[in-house]
Amino acid sequence: MSRKLKISINHNIFNKTPNSSLDWSMGFDPCELSIEELSEVINFGFSFGYIYKNEIRKTENFISSDILCIDMDGDRTIKDTLNDGIVKKYGSLFYTTPSHTPDIHRFRIVFTLPRAITDVVKLKQSMTSLSRRLGGDMSVVDGGRLFFGSHNSNPTILGKSISDKYLNELIEDGKVTVNSESKSYQGKTTNRSKLILDMNMKVV
């Protein structure tokens, strides 16, 4: 996986702690890194994100992303997630986040993309679909996200990447909004997905 990834790095946020309150939104320096170099940045504890106009992190400033990052926030174990067919086929990098504990597994899967996403709507669609499929945190799919590093987490390079075909599928499937027709109902509901299943796929 030799392709350089366009990613912003914020050296002023260590794990979950910024040097000042301004660092939450400013100082996201654009870089071009290999997946191995990104792994080192994460292990140092520095935060990273998408490419933003004027290096200011907010959705309106989104320029592009070469990655999708899925936050797993305690609902699935590391072992179960790493054995997921999606992660085994497309996953690029795995690491535990600063809030990870032996009892509650909190970690992140990074997926590199075959091409940059430059449309913030398509970013949200692809993130929504991938998070939905993996059981990830559905609140972190917008174009203004930052992702915390994790000092001495020793990230694992998984070595795979999302294909053009799969990215197109995620974007299409992400157009389905998962919500209830009742504004007063906040529970889970059913929706028609745009995902086309392989007839030989085992559904659990």
Side-chain angles (χ1 to χ4, degrees):
M1 199 177 298
S2 58
R3 185 171 78 90
K4 293 286 186 176
L5 306 168
K6 292 183 179 179
I7 298 170
S8 67
I9 304 297
N10 193 322
H11 298 87
N12 296 317
I13 303 176
F14 178 80
N15 281 354
K16 288 188 170 184
T17 306
N19 288 337
S20 75
S21 59
L22 293 176
D23 295 325
W24 291 122
S25 58
M26 302 180 69
F28 284 81
D29 301 324
C31 304
E32 291 191 16
L33 304 176
S34 66
I35 195 68
E36 292 82 8
E37 290 167 334
L38 176 59
S39 174
E40 293 177 5
V41 167
I42 292 167
N43 201 48
F44 287 145
F46 299 136
S47 294
F48 63 101
Y50 309 129
I51 301 296
Y52 303 106
K53 181 180 178 181
N54 298 325
E55 303 176 12
I56 298 175
R57 181 183 66 87
K58 58 181 179 178
T59 298
E60 303 93 293
N61 286 356
F62 174 84
I63 294 177
S64 68
S65 178
D66 279 343
I67 57 173
L68 300 179
C69 298
I70 305 301
D71 282 354
M72 306 300 295
D73 208 19
D75 291 332
R76 293 182 72 178
T77 65
I78 292 172
K79 181 178 180 180
D80 180 47
T81 305
L82 292 181
N83 282 327
D84 190 294
I86 293 172
V87 176
K88 292 175 77 171
K89 189 172 183 178
Y90 301 113
S92 304
L93 184 76
F94 150 80
Y95 70 98
T96 54
T97 56
S99 55
H100 170 76
T101 69
D103 295 325
I104 302 177
H105 290 194
R106 291 190 170 95
F107 54 97
R108 183 168 292 121
I109 307 291
V110 179
F111 296 82
T112 60
L113 298 175
R115 62 182 188 271
I117 294 179
T118 57
D119 183 330
V120 71
V121 174
K122 290 183 178 179
L123 173 75
K124 185 173 182 178
Q125 289 165 344
S126 57
M127 283 284 289
T128 296
S129 179
L130 191 54
S131 292
R132 205 156 51 197
R133 297 179 189 204
L134 290 174
D137 186 349
M138 298 294 290
S139 69
V140 293
V141 299
D142 60 274
R145 274 301 131 185
L146 73 84
F147 304 100
F148 295 117
S150 188
H151 184 57
N152 286 339
S153 60
N154 297 314
T156 299
I157 295 175
L158 303 175
K160 303 297 176 60
S161 179
I162 285 178
S163 65
D164 267 303
K165 180 180 178 181
Y166 193 63
L167 178 57
N168 291 338
E169 181 183 307
L170 290 174
I171 292 170
E172 187 67 18
D173 186 51
K175 294 176 182 178
V176 177
T177 302
V178 179
N179 54 18
S180 171
E181 293 180 358
S182 170
K183 292 183 180 179
S184 63
Y185 178 67
Q186 299 300 318
K188 292 184 178 180
T189 184
T190 59
N191 293 77
R192 185 181 298 275
S193 174
K194 293 180 181 289
L195 170 62
I196 299 174
L197 297 177
D198 186 329
M199 295 302 294
N200 296 317
M201 180 183 294
K202 181 179 179 182
V203 179
V204 179

